[in-house]
Amino acid sequence: MTVTNDAQRAHGDRFGQPGRLFRAPARVNLIGEHTDYTGGLVMPMAIGFHTVAVISPREDDRLMFYSENYKEETVVDPAALDSGRRGHWSDYPAGVAWSLRKEGLRFGGFNLTLSGDVPLGAGLSSSASVEVAVAMAIQSLSGSELSLEKMATLCRRAENEYVGAKSGIMDQFVVAGAVAHRAMMLDTRSLKFDLLPLPEDVRVVIANSMVKHAVATGEYGNRRDEVEAGQEVLRRELGRELLRDATLADLEACRQKMSPESFARCKHIITENARVLAAREALLKADMKRFGELMAEAHASFRDDFAASCEEVDQLVAIALRQPGCIGARITGGGFGGCTVNVVKTSAAEAFVASARREYAQATGIEADCFICEPEDGALALAKKGGAA
Ligand code: ADP
Ligand code: MG
């Protein structure tokens, strides 16, 4: 595997010593969008793109980070960790060091090399992939063993509090804890999860629309504010602590007390949680037709109630659904562009990619990047199977 070799070689060339190697995958979310910051349900899986972290101890206490992707080295003085982010890629690994140290893990200086084939900023969570690979590496140096829950929580804290990016727990949890051939239904409140079989005769095709509308960052924040405002009304009026606890009847009862936007956003989340549960049932029965219908409903809800799709992505979904062997298609990720996730018969996957790309280019003039994926192991399973050399 080339990222692994690249990382080992880069580490040796730069630091003149071999290191221990850890791998963490990227992820895609099959269904359950914008539910993870209100204690809801999600169904992601790990995919076959990885970030590799190679680590070796130093004599002094400095933290050296080198990224083969950025071809850049940076040094962090451990005393400076508490002063926070610098607006640089090294915030991700430094944030993990900060979070693990805050948790009480003890480690000295180290050299750490990162190398990955995860497309950056494409919504496949290269950030969680980096965080978990780095956490695995640092924990090995400190001789501790974090549970899955701890590892995910500490990496999330790095991203939320150190890097300053709002995100739920889903990405870090699945990147660390996924298992090959399984999707993971995660309850983001209790952190209980189910590993669900995905039939061997289907593949998950990720198609990048290659657009990210400029409104995305601002609108993402607005959506969260609208959701939180609605949640607050349900809490105040009916004692529902999290949206997760509310029903559509509860929401209807509070309709006059919230903005029409908050009502619609909350409606998406309440119905989406129900769809994730239904999707779990569908996978347990190997009923992929039902799974596909739920994806279609999820896309419509994201587009109409959550109001966070865009024309290009809607076109990409419509094109996908016209292709032979396509079972379901919907937007995945934060919204306003980004990727779609498509469940496609394995035998039709190559042809699906060729014609979806052609038709999308005809419609929009844009070449979509497409990846044919299946559920892969997370970082902990990879380490157990000898993914760490
Ligand atoms: P996404 O998680 O969707 O890929 P983010 O913006 O959350 O997008 O995270 C991307 C950021 O993560 C990059 O801009 C970079 O700062 C950091 N990152 C990801 N992979 C690497 C890597 N291999 N080396 C250094 N930094 C990385
Ligand atoms: Mg990210």
Side-chain angles (χ1 to χ4, degrees):
M1 127 138 345
T2 66
V3 272
T4 309
N5 296 341
D6 284 355
Q8 277 291 21
R9 190 175 24 75
H11 192 81
D13 289 351
R14 183 149 295 265
F15 299 115
Q17 51 186 180
R20 293 193 67 187
L21 186 147
F22 297 87
R23 282 202 296 152
R27 67 94 187 94
V28 69
N29 191 18
L30 291 170
I31 193 162
E33 216 66 72
H34 280 281
T35 50
D36 76 335
Y37 45 88
T38 46
L41 305 171
V42 292
M43 193 186 285
M45 63 180 225
I47 57 175
F49 295 97
H50 295 89
T51 306
V52 171
V54 183
I55 194 163
S56 54
R58 288 177 62 86
E59 301 286 318
D60 61 24
D61 65 355
R62 291 192 300 170
L63 313 182
M64 304 290 294
F65 297 110
Y66 171 70
S67 168
E68 178 70 359
N69 296 75
Y70 288 96
K71 301 266 185 264
E72 192 180 46
E73 179 181 298
T74 176
V75 55
V76 176
D77 177 345
L81 273 182
D82 286 327
S83 49
R85 78 191 189 107
R86 306 191 286 184
H88 187 253
W89 60 262
S90 59
D91 290 342
Y92 291 86
V96 172
W98 166 82
S99 184
L100 265 52
R101 195 176 68 178
K102 202 167 148 129
E103 185 63 19
L105 270 71
R106 297 169 69 86
F107 49 89
F110 57 74
N111 298 319
L112 189 145
T113 297
L114 288 170
S115 176
D117 62 3
V118 186
L120 304 189
L124 304 180
S125 210
S126 69
S127 57
S129 177
V130 166
E131 288 152 17
V132 171
V134 169
M136 299 283 294
I138 296 179
Q139 91 166 347
S140 86
L141 209 63
S142 80
S144 0
E145 199 165 330
L146 297 167
S147 67
L148 167 57
E149 290 74 12
K150 257 278 168 309
M151 168 138 339
T153 308
L154 295 179
C155 288
R156 180 198 184 182
R157 181 168 71 183
E159 180 144 348
N160 289 176
E161 294 178 27
Y162 196 94
V163 177
K166 280 186 174 181
S167 67
I169 188 79
M170 167 174 78
D171 297 351
Q172 293 83 3
F173 200 95
V174 70
V175 162
V179 171
H181 312 296
R182 298 285 184 272
M184 174 188 272
M185 189 190 89
L186 174 67
D187 179 327
T188 62
R189 175 169 57 186
S190 66
L191 298 187
K192 288 206 167 64
F193 62 95
D194 275 344
L195 295 169
L196 302 161
L198 212 66
E200 287 295 329
D201 66 347
V202 302
R203 290 289 178 268
V204 172
V205 180
I206 298 167
N208 190 341
S209 70
M210 313 302 274
V211 299
K212 193 75 198 175
H213 290 285
V215 296
T217 316
E219 286 293 323
Y220 184 81
N222 291 346
R223 291 296 170 279
R224 289 193 62 142
D225 292 345
E226 289 158 356
V227 168
E228 271 152 28
Q231 183 169 256
E232 187 48 41
V233 173
L234 285 154
R235 192 177 289 149
R236 194 178 62 228
E237 298 294 320
L238 301 174
R240 305 283 181 261
E241 202 42 46
L242 287 167
L243 246 189
R244 164 68 189 285
D245 304 311
T247 62
L248 282 178
D250 294 337
L251 185 65
E252 197 57 57
C254 294
R255 189 195 269 263
Q256 302 310 326
K257 301 223 157 54
M258 63 179 76
S259 72
E261 289 78 19
S262 279
F263 179 85
R265 309 313 174 234
C266 292
K267 179 173 167 232
H268 163 74
I269 291 173
I270 292 170
T271 58
E272 186 81 347
N273 281 326
R275 280 186 291 271
V276 177
L277 284 175
R280 172 184 180 275
E281 290 305 307
L283 285 186
L284 289 173
K285 291 188 203 142
D287 183 352
M288 294 313 286
K289 182 167 173 290
R290 176 76 186 126
F291 194 87
E293 288 163 5
L294 291 162
M295 290 178 80
E297 287 169 23
H299 184 75
S301 172
F302 193 104
R303 180 191 60 212
D304 302 335
D305 287 335
F306 211 73
S309 189
C310 65
E311 207 180 309
E312 295 87 345
V313 169
D314 289 342
Q315 270 180 321
L316 194 49
V317 166
I319 289 167
L321 290 172
R322 290 203 295 268
Q323 306 305 319
C326 180
I327 295 163
R330 65 170 203 92
I331 188 170
T332 185
F336 310 100
C339 291
T340 66
V341 59
N342 308 272
V343 176
V344 181
K345 284 277 180 200
T346 306
S347 55
E350 299 277 354
F352 172 91
V353 168
S355 37
R357 293 191 76 222
R358 191 180 57 245
E359 289 184 33
Y360 183 65
Q362 277 162 2
T364 62
I366 303 168
E367 298 281 338
D369 280 346
C370 293
F371 313 106
I372 300 174
C373 302
E374 52 192 315
E376 305 278 347
D377 277 327
L380 293 169
L382 284 171
K384 234 178 234 142
K385 288 180 184 167

